[in-house]
Amino acid sequence: MDARVQMKKYFYVDKKGYVFRSLARYDSKVKGARPEKIYIGKICDGDRNYFVPNKRYFELYPEEKGKDTLPIQADSIAFGNFALLKEIIGKLHLYECMAYAFSVSDDDTVKGEDEAKTELALDLACYMINGESGDIQHFPDYCFKNAIWSKKLYSDSEISGFLKTDITDRVRERFLLKWQQFNRDTFREPIFVCYDSTNFNSVSEGITFLEYGYAKDDKGKAQFNLECVIKSKDGLPLAYDTFPGSIIDIRQCQSMLTLLNNLGYKNITLVCDRGYISKDNIKEIMEKGYSFLFMVKDNLIMKKNIVYRHGDEIRDSVSCYYPDYDVFAKTYEDVIYDDIKVFHHVFYTSDISKEDRRYFFESIKAKEEELNSMVGKKIETTKPQMESTYGKYFDLTYGDIQGDRLVLRGFAKNGEKIDKEYRMLSFYTLISDKEMTIPEVMEQYRLRDRVEKSFMYIKTNFRLKAFHTHSNDTTLSKVFICFIASIIRSVLVDRTRKLREETKDTKNYTVRSSLLEMAKIEATRTALGSGRRIRYILTNKQKRILHAFDMKEEEIDKELDSFKDLDQIKADKKI
């Protein structure tokens, strides 16, 4: 194995890959110092992070003589977490999906180049999970201490080139199509899926789809939006898409429905929050053969009408009480948007959040201040507009209309109207196109937070609240890798949750603690340097984690038998 030395800030590389250091030498002719290039080695296989030193290097740095040279990977590398994630990837058929996506042919034939791209993409996804970071520049350092799929160590520039040129629209589309095919059996029976979107910020001028819009986080910054559909039962991501930041959720919904339909998804019920409800979206869902469960906006007339008709009946009826959820609820058949028949699920709870209460009274106060500023003045509006905006809380009196302007003479709070609106805060309603029991509605809408938690994990644990990319291609590629990582992590979340329930241990079996525990299973290089072995027996905690993922102890050893680290691969090439 050739000697390897890590690059330093004051070492440079010329166009041919030779490493040099620039030193100042005194020149008697010019009576001053002149820079002199001293060549000290050559970079390793295109990797600018390391180089092979020559004789001159050891003349400049004699203290380096006699030291063991730095291997490509450490003598002991984390292996248990790699074996665990590889098991998940295998059961999900992610390798096959990725290989098909990168394949230049339309069949499942995988060539060497496609295999290398597949392995790098999976390594980057595993890095995001294990390292809890989306900062790709630290990936080479991660490879030094961790087992990886790839057969070589990629430099920063090679990874940047991969993200910029290799993960194309065709790759992403082919992956989603193959991913649906491997999940096809799941949809033989109707299932619920959660659909939501979030925004990501960037200040890069090279990302052309960055636009200003309604920001859920970091308001006032340019953004792009990410929408995702996941299975409610286990949180498994199914599809995703990106769109410019100025497009609001309610308008983008139909685009996602088209994507799901083109991919071949069937027998699904979309569970969405109140931001997606509209006549066009509901009709599009039904035309595609899908079903829906929507939370209804507070300001929609459909909610007010059904609460006014049945609110007292629900609130005062013991038969409508569900003790497991501490709510009063009942389902009614209803017609919305003139001709759409739905089941309207009405819920009442006396537990009004402090935030809702504060917002309600602050809203009244703000409207009162606005009216005070209008009294006695000419206003460019109409009576219907004034009543719609302020008539919910105030009785308004008007003066004579002067030209095309309205004069507000006075106003007074209407306590009865305010009480009526305040009582509406205790009610929330959901609509579905199919009949559902109240417990089914509660459970399915409660599971909707899985997609929100997935977004939160990407932003916080992957540290991608703001994407540090500088072009459309690298940004979309990074989103794609995040999607792959989210698929793998969804299995980790689901299995560790069940493990915590079984052991009643909420501390030691989180996703993070489980991965850290598995990383303690290290593959150590043997004295002869011909392979690696697991030095220590597995702990009970490690065995429980393996069991939770349907793995046996001997599978770790079996995986290690077929594993070759980068130093072994390089040595084999020389033979």
Side-chain angles (χ1 to χ4, degrees), residues 505-522:
D505 187 340
T506 59
K507 177 183 177 182
N508 291 311
Y509 296 106
T510 63
V511 171
R512 184 61 179 159
S513 61
S514 297
L515 286 174
L516 289 173
E517 182 66 26
M518 293 303 294
K520 294 176 184 178
I521 303 175
E522 295 186 336

Side-chain angles (χ1 to χ4, degrees), residues 139-246:
F139 175 69
D141 297 321
Y142 164 84
C143 295
F144 182 73
K145 290 288 293 181
N146 289 268
I148 58 174
W149 291 74
S150 298
K151 305 299 188 298
K152 62 169 288 187
L153 183 64
Y154 290 90
S155 63
D156 290 346
S157 59
E158 288 175 315
I159 296 171
S160 296
F162 171 73
L163 294 175
K164 190 172 183 178
T165 61
D166 290 321
I167 303 179
T168 61
D169 288 341
R170 179 180 181 274
V171 169
R172 290 186 284 269
E173 290 168 1
R174 283 168 65 87
F175 174 84
L176 291 176
L177 183 61
K178 199 68 173 178
W179 178 235
Q180 184 275 338
Q181 292 174 2
F182 275 114
N183 285 281
R184 186 176 295 164
D185 291 342
T186 307
F187 299 93
R188 296 189 185 279
E189 298 294 331
I191 67 164
F192 288 85
V193 299
C194 308
Y195 169 51
D196 203 356
S197 68
T198 190
N199 62 271
F200 294 91
N201 304 107
S202 179
V203 295
S204 174
E205 295 180 356
I207 305 176
T208 59
F209 56 87
L210 281 177
E211 295 178 357
Y212 290 95
Y214 174 73
K216 299 176 182 179
D217 300 305
D218 296 323
K219 297 181 180 180
K221 295 182 180 180
Q223 65 186 39
F224 71 90
N225 296 331
L226 169 66
E227 58 181 348
C228 191
V229 174
I230 71 170
K231 285 170 61 180
S232 299
K233 183 178 180 180
D234 54 16
L236 188 71
L238 302 175
Y240 81 100
D241 200 5
T242 54
F243 56 100
S246 63

Side-chain angles (χ1 to χ4, degrees), residues 298 303-304 307-308 420-427:
D298 290 334
K303 175 186 175 181
K304 295 183 178 181
V307 171
Y308 290 156
K420 194 174 184 180
E421 291 295 327
Y422 184 74
R423 283 197 298 272
M424 290 293 292
L425 295 180
S426 301
F427 289 91

